[in-house]
C-alpha cells in the first residue's frame, strides 16, 4: 500500500499541515487536502475513495511516526478457504466413521447368520443320524464318509492353534499398560503416555486398526497413567477409562472426545461396566473402596462399597451377570486386591451384599471372569509355599442354592491350577475365554520369566502354546473380526497379533 495522499499524490507527513489523518470510513489523507476537499463540497461532501458521507468534524489526526500496511487480502482468503476445507474434512471423517460402523454391524450379522446356518446343518445331520436304528448297518460309502469327517474334525481340533500374524509398534519410548478391543470400530485400544508430551502432556489411547493391522490415531484422555479400559455390551463405542489422576472418564470413539468426567478423589486402579444394566459403572480406588456411578447423573457417585478389612488398591474389577443357574443364580461385582477379594452380590438396583472370598496369602494380582461358564481366573504371586506364578480357575458357588429364609453365602472353589515362571513384578492382565473352535476354554497369561504368553487348555490343564515376546506381556485380549479369531498380546512398547488357524 503506497504511503501517498490519494488527493494530491504527495507523501503524507507525521507533523505539519500535511500530516496523516483519516475519516470515519478509515481511508487515509493529508490533513490539509481532506480539509479543503470537504470544504469545497459543502453539505454534500463525501470520501474521495468510498463516497461515504463525511464532514469536517469526522477528520481524525493519526499519530504514527512510521506506518506500513501489508496487503494480506490473499492470506485471509486462503485462511478462510482452509477453515472451510477442514470443516468439510471433519464432516467427511465423521460420515466415514458412521459408514464403517454400519458396515461392521452388517458384517457381524452376516457372520452370525453363517454360524447359525452351520449349526442348523449340523443339527439336521445329527437328527438324521439319530433317526437311523442302532441295529441298522450303515452302507460302506456313508460309513467311510462319516469316519473321514470325524477324522477331519479330530485333526482340525488337534492342530488348531494361534500363529503369529503381525507386530505393531505402539510406543517407541514405552509406557503402554492396558488393552481393550472396540468391536463396532474394529480397532484395538492401547493405553500409553502422550507421544508429544511437550505439546500434549498426559496419557491417552492409541488406536490400532485390525483391518490393516496398523497404529493410527492417538486420543488424549487423562493427565496420569491409565490403569483400566472397559466397554459395555451395547457396542456403542463409548469407552470407560480409569487413571491415577483421580478420575474416570467416558470417551466417544466416534468423535474422539471425552463426554463425561467423574472426580473420584483418589487414584483409580480399575473400572468396569455393569453387565445387567449399562447405566452403571464401577471404579476401584487406591484405598480399597469401589464407587458406583450412574451415567445419567453427571455430578458424583451414587454409592460407595467400602472394603471389609483391607484398604489396599482394587487391582481388578469384574462384573458377573445374573443367570438362570442352579449353583450360582445371582449377579454382582468381584473386587480383587493384593490382600483380599470380595464378591458384592447385587440384591436389587441399589443394594449390595458383601461376601468375602477366600484368597491365598501370597497376594492376588488379577481376577478375570469367563462370561458363559462364569468361572473366575485368579492369579497369585510366587510365595514361600509356591515359588511359581499360578493361575487358578475358580467355580463360584452359593449356599443355599435356592432362595430361603437362610441368609445366602457366596464363595468359590478351585477347579484347575496353571503354573508359570517364578517372576511377578508387574500387575499383568490375563484372560479366560471360550476356545475359538468351541471345544473348550482357554487360559492366556503373560509370563515375566520367559517374556512370553502362555496358552493353556482349561479342561486338560495342558500347556498348548508359548508365544514369545521381547518384553514382559502386560495384557492379553482375544477378539474376533469377520469370523476370524485373534489374540492380542501387549508389551510396554509393542502389540503382537496372533491368528487362530
Amino acid at each position: 500500500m503506497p504511503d501517498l495522499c490519494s488527493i494530491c499524490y504527495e507523501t503524507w507527513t507525521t507533523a505539519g499541515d500535511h500530516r496523516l489523518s483519516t475519516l470515519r470510513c478509515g481511508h487515509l489523507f493529508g490533513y490539509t487536502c481532506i480539509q479543503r476537499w470537504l470544504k469545497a463540497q459543502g453539505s454534500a461532501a463525501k470520501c474521495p475513495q468510498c463516497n461515504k458521507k463525511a464532514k469536517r468534524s469526522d477528520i481524525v489526526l493519526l499519530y504514527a511516526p512510521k506506518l506500513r500496511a501489508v496487503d494480506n487480502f490473499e492470506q485471509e482468503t486462503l485462511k478462510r478457504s482452509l477453515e472451510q476445507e477442514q470443516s468439510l474434512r471433519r464432516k467427511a471423517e465423521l460420515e466415514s466413521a458412521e459408514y464403517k460402523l454400519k458396515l461392521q454391524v452388517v458384517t457381524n450379522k452376516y457372520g452370525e447368520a453363517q454360524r447359525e446356518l452351520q449349526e442348523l446343518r449340523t443339527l439336521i445331520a445329527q437328527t438324521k443320524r439319530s433317526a437311523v436304528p442302532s441295529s441298522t448297518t450303515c452302507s460302506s460309502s456313508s460309513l467311510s464318509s462319516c469316519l473321514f469327517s470325524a477324522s477331519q474334525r479330530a485333526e482340525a481340533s488337534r492342530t488348531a492353534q494361534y500363529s503369529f500374524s503381525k507386530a505393531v509398534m505402539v510406543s517407541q519410548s514405552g509406557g503402554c499398560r492396558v488393552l481393550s478391543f472396540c468391536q463396532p470400530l474394529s480397532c484395538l485400544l492401547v493405553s500409553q503416555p502422550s507421544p508429544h508430551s511437550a505439546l500434549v502432556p498426559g496419557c491417552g489411547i492409541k488406536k490400532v486398526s485390525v483391518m490393516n493391522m496398523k497404529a493410527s490415531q492417538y486420543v488424549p484422555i487423562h493427565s496420569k497413567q491409565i490403569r483400566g479400559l472397559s466397554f459395555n455390551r451395547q457396542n456403542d463405542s463409548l469407552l470407560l477409562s480409569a487413571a491415577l489422576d483421580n478420575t474416570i472418564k467416558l470417551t466417544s470413539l466416534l468423535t474422539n472426545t471425552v463426554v463425561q468426567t467423574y472426580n473420584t478423589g483418589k487414584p483409580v486402579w480399575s473400572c468396569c461396566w455393569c453387565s445387567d444394566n449399562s447405566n452403571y459403572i464401577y471404579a476401584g480406588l487406591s484405598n480399597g473402596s469401589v464407587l458406583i456411578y450412574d451415567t445419567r447423573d453427571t455430578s458424583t457417585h451414587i454409592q460407595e462399597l467400602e472394603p471389609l478389612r483391607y484398604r489396599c488398591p482394587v487391582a481388578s474389577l469384574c462384573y458377573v451377570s445374573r443367570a438362570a443357574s442352579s449353583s450360582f443364580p445371582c449377579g454382582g461385582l468381584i473386587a480383587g486386591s493384593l490382600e483380599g477379594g470380595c464378591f458384592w452380590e447385587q440384591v436389587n438396583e441399589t443394594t449390595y451384599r458383601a461376601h468375602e472370598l477366600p484368597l491365598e496369602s501370597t497376594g492376588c494380582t488379577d481376577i478375570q471372569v469367563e462370561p458363559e461358564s462364569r468361572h473366575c481366573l485368579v492369579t497369585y504371586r510366587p510365595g514361600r509355599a509356591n515359588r511359581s506364578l499360578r493361575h487358578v480357575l475358580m467355580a463360584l458357588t452359593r449356599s443355599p442354592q435356592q432362595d430361603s429364609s437362610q441368609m445366602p453365602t457366596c464363595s468359590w472353589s478351585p477347579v484347575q491350577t496353571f503354573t508359570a515362571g517364578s517372576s511377578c513384578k508387574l500387575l499383568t492382565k490375563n484372560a479366560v475365554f471360550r476356545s475359538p473352535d468351541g471345544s473348550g476354554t482357554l487360559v492366556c497369561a503373560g509370563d515375566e520369566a520367559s517374556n512370553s504368553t502362555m496358552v493353556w487348555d482349561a479342561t486338560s490343564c495342558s500347556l498348548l502354546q508359548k508365544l514369545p515376546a521381547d518384553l514382559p506381556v502386560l495384557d492379553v485380549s482375544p477378539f474376533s473380526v469377520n469370523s476370524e479369531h485373534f489374540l492380542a498380546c501387549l508389551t510396554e512398547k509393542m502389540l503382537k497379533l496372533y491368528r487362530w488357524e
Side-chain angles (χ1 to χ4, degrees):
M1 178 179 178
D3 51 354
L4 301 177
C5 174
S6 60
I7 298 176
C8 67
Y9 295 101
E10 295 290 338
T11 304
W12 51 57
T13 62
T14 59
D17 293 338
H18 202 248
R19 65 184 302 174
L20 183 63
S21 62
T22 182
L23 295 175
R24 294 180 64 182
C25 57
H27 292 107
L28 302 176
F29 311 95
Y31 177 71
T32 54
C33 290
I34 189 60
Q35 192 178 38
R36 286 196 300 267
W37 176 276
L38 297 178
K39 183 178 180 181
Q41 291 197 348
S43 60
K46 296 180 180 179
C47 173
Q49 290 193 14
C50 65
N51 286 330
K52 286 188 177 181
K53 289 184 178 182
K55 51 187 177 179
R56 295 176 65 183
S57 60
D58 293 336
I59 301 175
V60 178
L61 296 176
L62 298 179
Y63 299 89
K66 186 176 181 180
L67 178 66
R68 181 181 180 89
V70 179
D71 186 1
N72 65 339
F73 177 76
E74 292 185 1
Q75 182 181 356
E76 290 297 321
T77 303
L78 291 175
K79 185 177 179 181
R80 287 193 295 268
S81 177
L82 177 61
E83 290 175 351
Q84 291 176 356
E85 290 297 328
Q86 289 176 339
S87 177
L88 292 174
R89 181 179 177 181
R90 286 193 294 267
K91 183 178 179 182
E93 288 177 348
L94 183 58
E95 291 178 353
S96 174
E98 291 177 353
Y99 284 125
K100 285 182 180 179
L101 176 59
K102 292 179 181 179
L103 175 62
Q104 186 61 40
V105 171
V106 173
T107 303
N108 292 341
K109 289 183 178 179
Y110 176 70
E112 292 177 1
Q114 280 188 320
R115 288 193 294 272
E116 290 177 359
L117 178 60
Q118 185 62 36
E119 291 175 358
L120 183 60
R121 287 175 176 173
T122 304
L123 182 60
I124 292 174
Q126 291 175 351
T127 304
K128 288 182 179 180
R129 287 197 297 269
S130 62
V132 178
S134 59
S135 60
T136 303
T137 303
C138 297
S139 64
S140 59
S141 60
S142 63
L143 180 60
S144 61
S145 175
C146 291
L147 291 175
F148 180 71
S149 176
S151 64
Q152 275 187 327
R153 289 195 299 270
E155 183 68 19
S157 175
R158 185 166 57 251
T159 60
Q161 61 180 359
Y162 285 109
S163 60
F164 177 75
S165 177
K166 191 170 184 180
V168 180
M169 177 62 68
V170 181
S171 173
Q172 292 282 356
S173 59
C176 299
R177 182 66 194 180
V178 288
L179 173 68
S180 188
F181 176 65
C182 179
Q183 185 173 1
L185 299 182
S186 297
C187 67
L188 289 162
L189 306 175
V190 180
S191 71
Q192 67 164 109
S194 172
H196 307 289
S197 56
L199 299 175
V200 185
C203 297
I205 57 169
K206 177 69 71 67
K207 290 183 177 181
V208 179
S209 172
V210 297
M211 296 301 181
N212 55 16
M213 302 297 183
K214 291 183 179 180
S216 57
Q217 190 172 10
Y218 170 78
V219 182
I221 301 178
H222 291 274
S223 61
K224 291 185 179 180
Q225 186 186 60
I226 297 175
R227 300 305 298 259
L229 299 174
S230 179
F231 285 97
N232 61 25
R233 292 187 176 181
Q234 290 184 345
N235 294 332
D236 57 0
S237 303
L238 196 62
L239 173 67
L240 171 65
S241 59
L244 301 181
D245 59 359
N246 300 355
T247 65
I248 59 172
K249 296 187 178 185
L250 296 174
T251 304
S252 171
L253 295 181
L254 291 177
T255 58
N256 295 327
T257 54
V258 176
V259 297
Q260 181 61 43
T261 299
Y262 293 102
N263 292 312
T264 60
K266 288 183 172 56
V268 191
W269 281 59
S270 55
C271 63
C272 72
W273 292 81
C274 176
S275 303
D276 293 329
N277 189 337
S278 59
N279 291 319
Y280 297 102
I281 54 179
Y282 304 93
L285 306 186
S286 59
N287 65 347
S289 295
V290 177
L291 299 184
I292 306 175
Y293 292 87
D294 187 339
T295 57
R296 297 164 295 187
D297 183 355
T298 59
S299 56
T300 184
H301 62 275
I302 60 173
Q303 195 171 349
E304 179 178 0
L305 306 178
E306 296 184 354
L308 298 180
R309 286 195 296 172
Y310 306 106
R311 291 193 170 272
C312 55
V314 181
S316 59
L317 278 180
C318 297
Y319 190 88
V320 181
S321 300
R322 188 181 302 275
S325 169
S326 59
S327 60
F328 198 77
C330 51
L333 185 71
I334 295 179
S337 68
L338 296 177
E339 297 182 1
C342 182
F343 174 66
W344 294 93
E345 178 187 359
Q346 189 170 10
V347 181
N348 53 49
E349 191 167 310
T350 58
T351 305
Y352 291 81
R353 183 186 295 127
H355 302 273
E356 188 172 3
L357 298 175
L359 293 177
E360 298 180 10
S361 59
T362 55
C364 166
T365 62
D366 183 52
I367 300 176
Q368 300 293 330
V369 175
E370 201 285 303
E372 294 185 21
S373 65
R374 300 198 294 172
H375 282 172
C376 302
L377 183 67
V378 183
T379 302
Y380 291 110
R381 279 178 167 175
R384 293 182 179 178
N386 296 281
R387 298 294 182 178
S388 299
L389 178 71
R390 289 172 304 119
H391 310 280
V392 183
L393 196 64
M394 298 283 197
L396 293 167
T397 57
R398 184 177 187 264
S399 178
Q401 294 182 358
Q402 302 298 329
D403 293 335
S404 67
S405 58
Q406 182 181 350
M407 183 66 69
T409 58
C410 298
S411 186
W412 55 20
S413 56
V415 177
Q416 293 280 24
T417 299
F418 313 93
T419 304
S422 58
S423 176
C424 183
K425 298 179 182 179
L426 303 170
L427 298 180
T428 59
K429 299 291 183 182
N430 309 307
V432 54
F433 55 96
R434 296 290 295 174
S435 173
D437 57 16
S439 60
T441 301
L442 297 182
V443 171
C444 294
D447 179 36
E448 290 183 26
S450 60
N451 286 349
S452 64
T453 302
M454 316 282 274
V455 182
W456 289 278
D457 179 2
T459 304
S460 62
C461 201
S462 59
L463 179 63
L464 301 179
Q465 287 183 271
K466 197 172 184 179
L467 309 175
D470 299 330
L471 295 169
V473 176
L474 301 175
D475 200 351
V476 293
S477 176
F479 64 95
S480 301
V481 178
N482 298 335
S483 300
E484 288 190 306
H485 303 278
F486 297 86
L487 181 69
C489 304
L490 177 68
T491 68
E492 67 169 349
K493 292 184 178 181
M494 188 170 291
L495 186 65
K496 286 198 170 184
L497 302 174
Y498 299 86
R499 178 186 283 108
W500 181 265
E501 295 178 341

